[in-house]
Amino acid sequence: MISRRDFLQASMAASAIVGASGFGNWGRLAAQQLLTQDDLMQFDTFGNVSLIHVTDIHAQLKPIWFREPEINIGVGGNKGEVPHVTGADFRRLYGIEDGSASHYALTHDDFVALGRTYGQMGGLDRVATVINNIRAARPDALLLDGGDTWHGSYTCLKTQGQDMVNVMNLLKPDAMTFHWEFTLGSDRVREIVGDLPFAAMGQNIYDAEWDEPAEDFLPYKFYETGGVKVAVIGQAFPYMPIANPGWMFPEYSFGIRDQHMQEMVDEVRGLGAELVVCLSHNGFDVDKKMASRVTGIDVILSGHTHDALPEPVLVGDTIIVASGSNGKFVSRIDLNVRDGQMMGFRHKLIPIFSDVITPDPEVAAAIDAERAPFLSELTEVIGKTADDTLLYRRGNFNGSWDDLICEALIEEREADIAMSPGVRWGPSIMPGQDITREDIYNVTSMTYGKAYRTEMTGEFIHTIMEDVGDNLFNPDPYYQQGGDMVRVGGMGYRIDINQPIGSRISDLTLLKTGEAIDPAKTYVVAGWASVNENTEGPQIWDVVESHIRKKGTVAVAPNTSVQVIGA
Amino acid sequence: MNFTRRDTLFMAIGSAVAAALPLRAFAAVEDDIAAFTGGAAVGTEGITLIAPEIAENGNTVPIEVSAPGAVAIMVLAAGNPTPAVATFTFGPLAAAQSAATRIRLAGTQDVIAIAKMPDGSFVRASQEVKVTIGGCGG
């Protein structure tokens, strides 16, 4: 039995971190024996308001494997602070027993062994069961979706997000904010948003021409719940036109705009808000900084950086909740609001163990209906992983999925060097598992997936590496974009994360010859996900599929070509 | 230096009487500042500069500056070949001493605003604006 103590419940009055109980011997079907649905969802309803937070689902309708990061380095004031704590250090920090269900769900090590014990996570039909359970206890609980919902799978790409819209509508969210949704193109976003039965919000979504709030989105919305007047303010991903192709949504401008956030908080307080919630796609470190600069926000529901934290982080009087990604978790936050003040809270990061939580039949049927027209394409087996190869992505530097994609780019496109974007989405594949077309799309699908092949000088390659490195390791979170380091194939390098831009990256080495990269020399570089318009080349998923098909069984050796200094 | 509509787009805020006067093209930022302040000490309170942390497009970066009571505000882009952007002067009937414009930035650099107050004192605000290649976001 999983102890309810395993997943932390805290209150302002008496916050407590207690050790978890162990789980004895593992074996097949252990998940069902050790965990029960009732225990996973157990929660003593508290106060008068309940918030339910899901974020960064990345179109994962079905349960998945998803290994959390091994390398997640914090810089500046965030060095060693959550979420920049991983593995055993993370478990010690939160009192999580080695080998426990929480170990498997929240940390990277022993992923394969524990995964075989506890099974896949996620599945929107299971998420629906948890949401229904919370609503049974608190019928007017607010369901808030932090965005990155309409992106990340075969069916989502083929239906331009409609599969996710249809299934999420069954869950009846109250509000949503955005990031990858905009890569569907602004016409499509407006088409969907125009019909949404809930609020589409972002106080930082501006009209690019006039530099004033865009009319297509709400900055905030009021909700009356538990007799409390709650204002939810949206905060979309601030760096959309920089991190993603701005030409796909040229009418819009974003940015953090924390002065405007303060104006919105002051405005809703002036209109009588007793509880102010920010539904954010800033990323965790940006949310921490924003909480220190904007006063009057009670709760920030944080998305974008895919962190799953068993308890909120307190900055001033603001609690920041991080709810993971890919449908692995649902956060429930119960709040006691009296006389316009948050008096206390109780929180639980609910893990969606797919073998333990019963799927909601209506949502399960809807998911299968969305997939039915594509089922033969989705399930076609392209190859399999070797018995010693786990494919994963999440982490500051190359994951094994990225190494495989870079290998595919180099071999299929006859390049010296490959570059693959440092995105944080993309489920894992277990050793000895079939790789289907769906699995390949899960780590590559996007509306700008063409694989370019171009020539770059050594100097320009260095400039790109420095630029992306600063987007990740700038000591000021407001200058970070929330992605990981660009993944590189065919080239090794050294990165000293504590140096300023221009001085972090050194020892660029062309792996096939062992020679240093010459700044003046030209190299053939293959990559994908360019933000430039009119990029030409085959789609990346076709490149990867062709490569895996040729290999049959893919084995990825540990990557030793990136040397990290100053972590 | 020429001010073209392509590079800058001026918007008067409220009923502010804002006029943009091109500065003479000094080579160095320090020279521009010295010319504006006459070498006087510069404080930091009472001026607000709003600029994006990371520019969405370095060719047209929206900035906004306000300094209640100021008689003039000078804006500099410290890393541009010609740092001087504009000096906004406010007459006694101006209802608000603020201005918004868009500027072109050659690369990552500090944007600096210095306001001259009616008592002859000066205040300064600055912010780094990063101009990046982009891509690869989460």
Side-chain angles (χ1 to χ4, degrees):
Chain A
M1 292 276 286
I2 189 170
S3 162
R4 58 172 277 223
R5 291 180 300 157
D6 203 8
F7 294 98
L8 185 79
Q9 302 185 29
S11 76
M12 288 284 209
S15 151
I17 301 175
V18 289
S21 57
F23 287 116
N25 298 322
W26 311 325
R28 287 208 176 275
L29 301 177
Q32 287 92 328
Q33 291 161 7
L34 294 170
L35 307 170
T36 70
Q37 175 168 314
D38 287 346
D39 283 323
L40 290 177
M41 298 193 295
Q42 201 285 329
F43 196 107
D44 292 328
T45 299
F46 174 80
N48 46 5
V49 174
S50 293
L51 307 176
I52 308 167
H53 183 222
V54 293
T55 192
D56 296 87
I57 293 170
H58 284 284
Q60 297 303 317
L61 293 166
K62 288 283 189 181
I64 41 101
W65 306 106
F66 191 92
R67 201 196 81 148
E68 297 296 329
E70 177 178 2
I71 311 287
N72 185 359
I73 304 168
V75 287
N78 289 310
K79 185 171 181 163
E81 300 288 319
V82 291
H84 305 286
V85 180
T86 61
D89 292 340
F90 185 97
R91 296 195 293 279
R92 297 299 87 81
L93 183 64
Y94 290 108
I96 295 168
E97 191 83 2
D98 287 352
S100 66
S102 303
H103 172 169
Y104 164 64
L106 292 163
T107 56
H108 72 280
D109 36 1
D110 300 321
F111 183 81
V112 174
L114 293 173
R116 296 206 158 113
T117 301
Y118 293 108
Q120 292 186 310
M121 297 190 69
L124 275 190
D125 44 9
R126 278 83 167 175
V127 168
T129 298
V130 170
I131 291 168
N132 290 340
N133 174 271
I134 298 170
R135 284 179 172 148
R138 182 93 77 190
D140 56 356
L142 295 178
L143 173 60
L144 303 171
D145 177 359
D148 277 359
T149 309
W150 314 336
H151 157 269
S153 75
Y154 184 95
T155 53
C156 187
L157 186 69
K158 298 292 179 187
T159 64
Q160 293 186 282
Q162 195 62 47
D163 66 330
M164 290 305 295
V165 172
N166 294 345
V167 174
M168 286 303 292
N169 281 353
L170 296 176
L171 271 48
K172 299 185 172 60
D174 291 286
M176 178 183 178
T177 192
F178 304 94
H179 172 193
W180 277 86
E181 286 77 10
F182 276 87
T183 65
L184 294 170
S186 40
D187 286 346
R188 176 64 176 149
V189 170
R190 275 191 300 269
E191 183 185 22
I192 298 176
V193 165
D195 288 337
L196 277 186
F198 52 87
M201 52 173 59
Q203 68 86 23
N204 59 336
I205 308 177
Y206 269 50
D207 180 303
E209 193 164 6
W210 297 102
D211 199 35
E212 58 192 26
E215 292 173 344
D216 306 310
F217 301 88
L218 297 173
Y220 59 79
K221 189 179 173 187
F222 274 98
Y223 300 85
E224 190 86 31
T225 171
V228 176
K229 205 170 177 186
V230 179
V232 179
I233 304 175
Q235 173 79 353
F237 176 53
Y239 294 125
M240 210 101 62
I242 303 158
N244 305 94
W247 59 268
M248 291 181 161
F249 39 91
E251 312 92 310
Y252 299 110
S253 169
F254 299 85
I256 297 170
R257 301 184 189 267
D258 57 12
Q259 293 96 342
H260 191 252
M261 175 64 81
Q262 185 68 66
E263 287 171 28
M264 294 298 99
V265 174
D266 295 344
E267 187 171 308
V268 298
R269 289 282 182 195
L271 292 167
E274 297 169 273
L275 181 77
V276 177
V277 177
C278 175
L279 179 61
S280 168
H281 206 94
N282 270 339
F284 199 81
D285 291 349
V286 176
D287 278 324
K288 274 175 71 182
K289 180 168 176 181
M290 191 176 79
S292 74
R293 285 165 60 100
V294 176
T295 56
I297 302 175
D298 296 304
V299 182
I300 297 178
L301 302 173
S302 183
H304 183 49
T305 38
H306 292 196
D307 312 294
L309 297 179
E311 62 175 302
V313 167
L314 188 65
V315 176
D317 295 327
T318 305
I319 62 167
I320 309 177
V321 173
S323 306
S325 69
N326 288 271
K328 271 182 81 173
F329 302 95
V330 171
S331 285
R332 175 177 178 181
I333 310 100
D334 279 19
L335 301 136
N336 186 22
V337 183
R338 306 283 170 202
D339 306 322
Q341 268 208 310
M342 182 169 76
M343 308 298 284
F345 68 90
R346 184 171 292 162
H347 160 272
K348 185 172 180 177
L349 181 72
I350 301 168
I352 309 298
F353 286 101
S354 66
D355 295 337
V356 181
I357 295 173
T358 309
D360 176 83
E362 185 198 357
V363 175
I367 290 170
D368 288 341
E370 294 296 338
R371 292 165 57 83
F374 307 101
L375 210 54
S376 59
E377 292 92 335
L378 286 168
T379 53
E380 186 180 337
V381 175
I382 310 300
K384 64 180 292 195
T385 49
D387 289 338
D388 62 349
T389 294
L390 168 75
L391 294 180
Y392 66 91
R393 173 177 278 153
R394 187 70 183 86
N396 285 159
F397 300 97
N398 283 42
S400 49
W401 251 131
D402 307 301
D403 288 334
L404 179 63
I405 292 168
C406 285
E407 183 185 275
L409 283 164
I410 288 173
E411 293 188 12
E412 298 284 318
R413 304 285 282 151
E414 296 179 356
D416 301 319
I417 294 165
M419 290 188 182
S420 187
V423 296
R424 298 189 171 201
W425 41 269
S428 311
I429 303 289
M430 282 292 199
Q433 185 187 329
D434 284 341
I435 303 171
T436 64
R437 182 170 292 117
E438 173 169 34
D439 295 328
I440 295 171
Y441 273 76
N442 275 346
V443 291
T444 55
S445 68
M446 57 168 61
T447 55
Y448 53 105
K450 286 189 175 168
Y452 60 85
R453 183 179 187 279
T454 187
E455 293 190 335
M456 293 182 188
T457 62
E459 184 183 9
F460 188 62
I461 292 168
H462 183 257
T463 300
I464 291 175
M465 304 282 292
E466 289 284 357
D467 202 76
V468 182
D470 196 63
N471 290 339
L472 178 58
F473 295 120
N474 191 303
D476 184 341
Y478 274 20
Y479 292 88
Q480 300 169 3
Q481 290 176 23
D484 282 312
M485 187 64 189
V486 58
R487 280 58 163 120
V488 182
M491 186 180 80
Y493 66 96
R494 182 178 191 267
I495 178 166
D496 185 345
I497 58 171
N498 296 316
Q499 297 301 314
I501 187 168
S503 307
R504 286 191 183 93
I505 309 290
S506 62
D507 299 355
L508 297 181
T509 308
L510 189 64
L511 294 179
K512 70 178 177 187
T513 63
E515 289 169 5
I517 296 285
D518 182 344
K521 207 177 148 191
T522 296
Y523 300 87
V524 175
V525 178
W528 61 289
S530 169
V531 297
N532 297 323
E533 203 169 358
N534 302 320
T535 298
E536 292 179 0
Q539 295 289 1
I540 184 64
W541 42 88
D542 292 333
V543 174
V544 175
E545 179 174 319
S546 169
H547 181 68
I548 293 176
R549 209 181 277 284
K550 282 177 197 157
K551 293 265 170 185
T553 300
V554 295
V556 179
N559 188 326
T560 55
S561 63
V562 182
Q563 195 189 350
V564 181
I565 309 295
Chain B
M1 113 178 221
N2 289 322
F3 249 111
T4 66
R5 279 183 56 82
R6 204 165 53 104
D7 288 342
T8 55
L9 194 149
F10 294 99
M11 289 181 287
I13 302 283
S15 58
V17 184
L21 300 176
L23 284 173
R24 280 184 297 136
F26 283 112
V29 175
E30 293 310 314
D31 290 346
D32 285 344
I33 294 174
F36 187 67
T37 64
V42 179
T44 57
E45 296 293 319
I47 181 167
T48 305
L49 172 66
I50 299 177
E53 288 79 13
I54 306 179
E56 292 180 357
N57 177 357
N59 288 323
T60 167
V61 180
I63 64 153
E64 190 178 329
V65 62
S66 68
V71 295
I73 303 175
M74 178 179 70
V75 177
L76 301 170
N80 274 1
T82 305
V85 173
T87 297
F88 304 95
T89 59
F90 304 96
L93 293 179
Q97 291 74 34
S98 64
T101 183
R102 298 188 191 204
I103 64 178
R104 184 177 187 178
L105 299 178
T108 299
Q109 58 183 283
D110 287 336
V111 173
I112 302 167
I114 299 177
K116 181 179 186 180
M117 307 310 286
D119 63 0
S121 66
F122 294 86
V123 289
R124 167 183 169 135
S126 73
Q127 187 184 309
E128 184 182 28
V129 178
K130 190 163 140 183
V131 179
T132 170
I133 302 170
C136 302

